[in-house]
């Protein structure tokens, strides 16, 4: 069995129209496509949900993605019930019976209790269906289960026992209302099955089916659901976590779970995952917020954190926080792919010629060859013609090879004599042609997930047949400067004040990284004012960069506030320029507290914040590309800290700025990159190799 590209988990409802505002006890749809978890969809009515699911089936089919669609109501009933109702053990006969019997109005009102009463009349004694919304209505449906005897068939199916499900398909009211959900769900499944390409597990062979429908029970992962955010609607969390868990289940494990079922499953159905409850719970539990309160924490006792250790810890701790969307190719430059993207068509789609010349079938031995020419001509864009055996055709670069042509001789190597072409061999079969799909075949992955799209990628996507591309939403990064000494650029300054150089620089860096900067302005050295600024910023952004106030002094309010939230990790990083880097969370939003000095702020942003923000945005971790070049300077470097010197390349050598002082902002403008010197002591003289990191390798 092949795996699934897309997993859908449906939490169904038998009730009337749900409120406009997302709520519990309604219909929720969880979707994970190619490993990417989508925001769950809330549906107010069954008709709306069915239309959404049918559209999803069509969409995934057009994209060539295999879909596993799962639903949280019984697909079958205990053995014997279907035969008593339809005269057959075929579960699909019961589906058709319910499709004919059930009526469902646009507002969600329906006749499920009438149908339960009609079914109960087929059996002696009360039941088997019980439970109703009004004690004085539907006299044929008992209000409670007491007195119902399940002697003709069992109350529960074999899979209900294995999954330890609390209720049965005969319970119509008092949550969980499984019987009502089944009655309102089976007609929908009956219609979906008629769409084509849809197979139902375990009733049918689903080995190669493009769409597989299966029964699930979210209660299997209840322990994982308990760890979901407190403010998340429980039904929403269930479908989100279960879709992720099923998508993460390795293909061979899913195949094993869907195989080797008891005989009863062919009649009663089976709950997918019933035998691997612990495994699914573990997979669901791996879905966690992008950052934990201790995600920046380092081992106790660490005083000076090496740069490599800090980067490794960041890389391991972060996960994407952005959602997904599909954008046209014209808007995709610089965006991050949300999933692996496969080719919708091969490139080239047909065999074609690589040169201007004359085409014919087969190669030719040494010697002179003279072939009659057809009157037709093949050019790029022409429908392939047919060339008679032993004839040649005029063919131009890029033209699809006509029928009867597999070899092309260069125009420069031929002589035209009336209606014949002459040339000397030898020439190999297939010469000067391109095979269909020699670049990539239909279905090949042309771009991986987590890749930042380049102009060349746009050409590749277009050739692969894509008009749009699934991408991550842009990461919103707040930029905040702190300090009483700061005024806006160009404003009048009083003694002791300086213009804010960090915010313009950091906003530009965020834009260059492909994210969306959000200007949070300036905050004074006032803890209450800074708290209000962060409170207002958190709902608007996905991450925050602050500059200043990140150390442990009296006026270092950023680190002090993060300390109050219990999320602060004040790293004393063995780096120059820099050292203090405050990392933490504010109302769940990652905060990078940068040094206030512009040189240190820029270096820390490039080295630490840039790759971290990339991961939060959905990209792969990106280390800057460095090059070993000869030094054009002399330096006695002490042991202990990794140093980044402002540098540029002249005559193939790395020059460094005249002063290493971090207050010399002009050196940032002068530089074209950084020279990185490791933590070991070094005596550098002109000509010694040093590592140069051009600003271009940081995306600048």
């Amino acid at each position: 069995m092949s795996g699934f590209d897309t997993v859908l988990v449906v939490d169904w409802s038998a009730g009337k129209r749900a409120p406009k505002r997302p709520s519990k006890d309604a219909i929720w749809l969880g979707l994970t496509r190619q490993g990417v978890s989508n925001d769950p969809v809330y549906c107010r009515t069954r008709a709306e949900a069915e239309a959404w699911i049918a559209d999803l089936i069509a969409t995934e089919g057009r994209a060539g993605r295999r879909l596993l669609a799962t639903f949280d109501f019984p697909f079958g009933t205990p053995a014997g019930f279907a035969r008593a109702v339809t005269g057959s053990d075929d579960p699909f006969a019961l589906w058709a019976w319910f499709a004919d019997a059930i009526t469902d109005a646009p507002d969600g009102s329906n006749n499920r209790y009438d149908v339960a009463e009609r079914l109960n009349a087929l059996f002696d004694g009360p039941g088997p269906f019980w439970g109703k919304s009004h004690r004085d209505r539907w006299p044929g449906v008992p209000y409670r289960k007491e007195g119902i005897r399940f002697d003709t068939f069992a109350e529960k199916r074999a899979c209900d026992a294995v999954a330890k499900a609390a209720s049965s398909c005969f319970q119509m009211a008092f949550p969980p209302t499984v019987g009502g959900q089944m009655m309102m769900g089976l007609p929908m499944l009956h219609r979906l099955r008629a769409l084509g390409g849809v197979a139902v597990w375990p009733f049918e062979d689903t080995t190669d089916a493009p769409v597989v429908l299966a029964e699930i029970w979210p209660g299997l992962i209840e322990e994982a659901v308990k760890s979901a955010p407190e403010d998340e609607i429980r039904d929403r969390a269930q479908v989100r976590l279960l879709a992720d868990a099923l998508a993460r289940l390795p293909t061979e494990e899913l195949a094993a779970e869907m195989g080797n079922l008891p005989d009863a499953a062919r009649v009663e159905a089976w709950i997918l995952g019933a035998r691997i409850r612990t495994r699914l719970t573990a997979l669901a539990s791996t879905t966690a917020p992008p950052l934990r309160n201790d995600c920046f924490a380092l081992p106790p006792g660490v005083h000076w954190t090496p740069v490599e250790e800090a980067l490794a810890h960041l890389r391991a701790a972060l996960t994407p926080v952005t959602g997904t969307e599909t954008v046209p190719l014209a808007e995709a430059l610089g965006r991050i792919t949300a999933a692996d993207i496969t080719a919708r068509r091969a490139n080239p789609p047909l065999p074609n010629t690589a040169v201007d010349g004359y085409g014919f079938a087969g190669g030719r031995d040494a010697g002179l060859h003279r072939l009659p020419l057809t009157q037709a001509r093949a050019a790029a864009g022409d429908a392939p013609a047919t060339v008679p055996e032993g004839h040649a055709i005029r063919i131009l670069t890029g033209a699809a090879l006509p029928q009867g042509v597999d070899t092309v001789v260069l125009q420069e190597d031929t002589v035209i004599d009336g209606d014949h072409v002459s040339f000397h061999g030898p020439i190999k079969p297939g010469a000067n042609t391109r095979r269909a799909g020699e670049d990539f075949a239909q279905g090949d992955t042309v771009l991986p997930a987590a890749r930042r799209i380049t102009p060349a990628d746009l050409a590749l996507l277009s050739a692969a047949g894509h008009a749009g591309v699934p991408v991550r939403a842009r990461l919103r990064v707040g930029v905040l400067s702190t300090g009483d000494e700061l005024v806006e650029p160009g404003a009048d300054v009083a003694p002791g004040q300086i213009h804010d150089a960090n915010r313009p620089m950091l906003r530009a860096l965020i834009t260059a990284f492909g994210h969306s900067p959000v200007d949070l302005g300036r905050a004074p050295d006032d803890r209450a004012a800074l708290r209000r600024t962060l409170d207002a910023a958190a709902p608007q952004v996905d991450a925050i960069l602050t500059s200043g106030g990140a150390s442990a002094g009296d006026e270092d309010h950023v680190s002090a506030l993060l300390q109050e939230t219990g999320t602060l990790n004040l790293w004393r990083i063995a780096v120059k320029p820099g050292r203090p880097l405050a990392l933490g969370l504010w109302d769940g939003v990652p905060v990078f507290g940068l040094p206030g000095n512009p040189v240190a702020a820029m270096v820390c942003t490039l080295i630490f914040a840039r790759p971290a923000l990339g991961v939060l945005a959905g990209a792969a971790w990106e280390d800057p590309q460095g090059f070993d070049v000869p030094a054009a300077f002399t330096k006695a470097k002490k042991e202990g800290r990794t140093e980044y010197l402002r540098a540029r390349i002249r005559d193939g050598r790395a020059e460094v700025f005249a002063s290493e002082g971090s207050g010399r902002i002009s050196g940032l403008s002068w530089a074209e990159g950084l020279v990185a010197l490791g933590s070991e002591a070094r005596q550098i003289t002109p000509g010694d190799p040093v590592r140069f990191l051009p600003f271009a390798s940081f995306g600048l």
Side-chain angles (χ1 to χ4, degrees), residues 204-562:
E204 297 176 298
D205 180 8
T206 60
T207 304
D208 297 313
V211 181
V212 174
L213 309 183
E215 178 184 340
I216 49 90
W217 181 45
L220 291 173
I221 60 163
E222 181 58 31
E223 290 303 313
V225 175
K226 290 179 181 178
S227 65
E230 292 183 3
D231 59 349
E232 184 174 19
I233 295 171
R234 185 172 178 274
D235 300 337
R236 184 187 191 277
Q238 281 185 328
V239 298
R240 175 177 61 83
L241 294 174
L242 186 50
D244 285 348
L246 290 171
R248 291 172 178 147
L249 190 66
T251 299
E252 61 274 12
E253 294 184 41
L254 180 60
E257 170 62 10
M258 298 180 79
N260 302 317
L261 294 175
D263 292 339
R266 298 296 178 186
V267 174
E268 296 183 340
W270 196 262
I271 296 172
L272 182 61
R275 298 176 295 183
I276 54 170
R277 182 188 203 122
T278 302
R279 176 66 166 143
L280 283 179
T281 300
L283 291 171
S285 299
T286 62
T287 299
L291 296 173
R292 303 179 303 277
N293 280 352
D294 63 347
C295 72
F296 290 127
L298 291 165
V302 174
H303 183 59
W304 288 100
T305 306
V307 169
E308 294 76 11
E309 183 178 338
L311 290 173
H313 193 78
L314 277 174
R315 184 171 188 172
L318 301 173
T319 56
V321 300
T322 51
T324 62
E325 59 184 346
T326 297
V327 300
L329 287 188
E331 300 174 14
L333 181 63
R335 303 296 293 274
I336 298 166
T337 54
D340 289 349
I341 301 174
T342 57
R344 292 183 172 177
R345 67 186 317 225
N347 185 50
L350 296 171
N352 65 76
T353 176
V355 299
D356 291 343
Y358 295 87
F360 46 87
R364 292 295 186 273
D365 297 332
L368 180 64
H369 302 276
R370 188 169 183 268
L371 299 177
L373 283 169
T374 65
Q375 293 184 353
R377 187 191 74 157
D382 290 347
T386 299
V387 177
E389 185 177 355
H391 285 64
I393 186 173
R394 174 66 168 152
I395 190 166
L396 303 179
T397 301
L401 294 184
Q403 295 293 322
V405 171
D406 59 15
T407 304
V408 176
V409 62
L410 278 136
Q411 172 180 299
E412 295 88 338
D413 295 337
T414 64
V415 173
I416 303 302
D417 176 17
D419 57 358
H420 284 71
V421 59
S422 299
F423 57 90
H424 285 275
I427 184 168
K428 294 180 180 180
N432 299 313
T433 64
R434 306 183 184 104
R435 300 185 312 276
E438 72 175 20
D439 187 8
F440 52 80
Q442 183 179 9
D444 284 354
T445 297
V446 291
L447 286 184
R451 176 183 174 89
R452 195 175 299 279
I453 297 172
T454 67
D457 292 338
L458 297 179
L460 178 61
L461 290 169
S462 180
H466 290 276
V469 55
V471 296
R472 289 280 186 174
R474 289 195 187 276
L475 189 75
R476 300 164 300 169
V477 184
V479 178
L480 174 67
S481 292
T482 67
D484 288 338
E485 75 277 14
L486 300 177
V487 297
E488 287 296 295
D492 293 336
V493 292
Q497 290 184 322
I498 58 174
H499 292 112
D500 183 1
N502 282 340
R503 243 167 62 243
M505 175 182 69
L506 293 176
R507 291 197 308 264
L509 286 173
I510 296 305
T511 301
F513 297 160
H515 312 311
S516 295
V518 178
D519 191 348
L520 302 180
R522 294 176 291 107
D525 288 324
D526 179 276
R527 198 161 300 181
L530 179 58
R531 181 190 299 275
R532 290 192 296 271
T533 299
L534 293 174
D535 283 343
Q540 306 176 49
V541 298
D542 304 305
I544 298 173
L545 296 186
T546 68
S547 59
S551 191
D554 292 345
E555 298 296 340
D556 288 316
H557 299 294
V558 172
S559 52
L561 284 176
L562 292 177

Side-chain angles (χ1 to χ4, degrees), residues 550-630:
S551 191
D554 292 345
E555 298 296 340
D556 288 316
H557 299 294
V558 172
S559 52
L561 284 176
L562 292 177
Q563 182 70 57
E564 289 180 14
T565 68
T567 69
L568 173 71
N569 285 276
L570 184 62
W571 287 3
R572 292 173 60 84
I573 298 177
V575 62
K576 178 182 177 181
R579 287 194 298 183
L581 182 64
L583 302 168
L585 297 175
W586 190 267
D587 197 17
V589 176
V591 178
F592 296 78
L594 302 170
N597 185 288
V599 176
M602 180 168 177
V603 169
C604 286
T605 297
L606 295 180
I607 302 302
F608 301 106
R610 172 185 169 269
L613 293 174
V615 173
L616 293 175
W621 180 275
E622 296 177 286
D623 290 316
Q625 177 65 57
F627 304 91
D628 290 330
V629 297

